[in-house]
Amino acid sequence: TQLLEQSPQFLSIQEGENLTVYCNSSSVFSSLQWYRQEPGEGPVLLVTVVTGGEVKKLKRLTFQFGDARKDSSLHITAAQPGDTGLYLCASRYGQNFVFGPGTRLSVLP
Amino acid sequence: DAGITQSPRHKVTETGTPVTLRCHQTENHRYMYWYRQDPGHGLRLIHYSYGVKDTDKGEVSDGYSVSRSKTEDFLLTLESATSSQTSVYFCAIQPGTSDDTQYFGPGTRLTVL
């Protein structure tokens, strides 16, 4: 059983479209991280959200942390082929870090 | 770039052989982690270290051991590799104690035949 669930598992869209991916848990987290991973590389941190209801923007990416700190979303506006990759959410759970299984995004030119 | 390297980057070995993977960092961070990544499972924590000779088990530690004799190096050993340990292994560092952010190395692809 995954502590962090992500949806959708796969997403293929055309360049210029908007999309939202989700990260959900039954547990409350003190903070949540979003990473992007490209083939053959390690995950790269995009953002950390800490406060319930928090919204952070990173150029065309908008991240939201749910009010109850049990869910988060990542919205991409006008997706570009360079956004292609595996998007992972992660959080600390006790002494461990846990990761969701990821959303694999493919943006077609 | 958090100055993390992993070696080797690729390795093919046979069942029953010992394997050691190395993670090296250049910035003297205390906290280091080893993960494995498998399709459908995301990243799963194997072992972690809070400093020299201070290590602990993660979620999937069976069949793995670690050592940290120097701040900059964190070694992961598979005492007797099995096919179920075929995976991509990532090392990560955590720069601060009040921040859950991690920075990852480039990974080691291990195949156990």
Side-chain angles (χ1 to χ4, degrees):
Chain A
T1 303
Q2 299 268 10
L3 282 174
L4 288 171
E5 302 286 346
Q6 290 189 246
S7 61
Q9 186 176 1
F10 299 98
L11 186 58
S12 182
I13 62 170
Q14 292 294 133
E15 182 176 2
E17 292 183 1
N18 301 331
L19 66 112
T20 302
V21 298
Y22 301 91
C23 176
N24 298 284
S25 174
S26 57
S27 300
V28 176
F29 293 106
S30 59
S31 70
L32 190 131
Q33 290 76 45
W34 282 96
Y35 293 84
R36 179 169 66 211
Q37 184 179 19
E38 298 187 19
E41 300 181 7
V44 175
L45 179 73
L46 296 173
V47 78
T48 295
V49 286
V50 177
T51 306
E54 181 177 6
V55 177
K56 281 192 174 180
K57 292 192 175 184
L58 184 66
K59 297 183 181 179
R60 294 177 293 101
L61 279 59
T62 302
F63 304 85
Q64 185 161 7
F65 202 15
D67 290 342
R69 305 205 315 275
K70 298 168 72 172
D71 58 274
S72 182
S73 64
L74 159 58
H75 181 81
I76 301 179
T77 303
Q80 299 177 1
D83 296 325
T84 293
L86 180 66
Y87 288 81
L88 297 161
C89 63
S91 190
R92 181 188 289 275
Y93 185 73
Q95 296 292 332
N96 290 315
F97 283 93
V98 293
F99 283 76
T103 292
R104 190 166 297 280
L105 173 64
S106 178
V107 182
L108 306 174
Chain B
D1 184 1
I4 307 168
T5 57
Q6 292 185 232
S7 59
R9 294 293 315 278
H10 302 270
K11 185 170 182 67
V12 180
T13 192
E14 293 187 351
T15 298
T17 60
V19 176
T20 296
L21 309 182
R22 180 181 183 238
C23 177
H24 179 78
Q25 57 138 335
T26 59
E27 300 188 8
N28 240 25
H29 296 297
R30 283 181 58 194
Y31 302 92
M32 298 185 75
Y33 302 82
W34 274 108
Y35 293 89
R36 60 178 290 174
Q37 185 174 35
D38 305 288
H41 290 279
L43 286 138
R44 291 180 292 174
L45 183 64
I46 305 171
H47 280 279
Y48 57 97
S49 171
Y50 286 169
V52 172
K53 298 184 180 179
D54 185 2
T55 65
D56 208 342
K57 297 179 179 179
E59 176 190 357
V60 291
S61 61
D62 286 349
Y64 302 95
S65 62
V66 290
S67 66
R68 192 157 178 213
S69 58
K70 298 184 291 184
T71 300
E72 59 266 35
D73 289 324
F74 193 28
L75 304 180
L76 177 70
T77 297
L78 291 65
E79 301 291 347
S80 178
T82 68
S83 58
S84 65
Q85 293 176 310
T86 292
S87 187
V88 182
Y89 291 85
F90 288 99
C91 172
I93 61 97
Q94 180 186 352
T97 56
S98 60
D99 181 350
D100 289 337
T101 300
Q102 294 186 311
Y103 295 92
F104 287 83
T108 294
R109 181 173 295 275
L110 176 67
T111 301
V112 183
L113 302 175

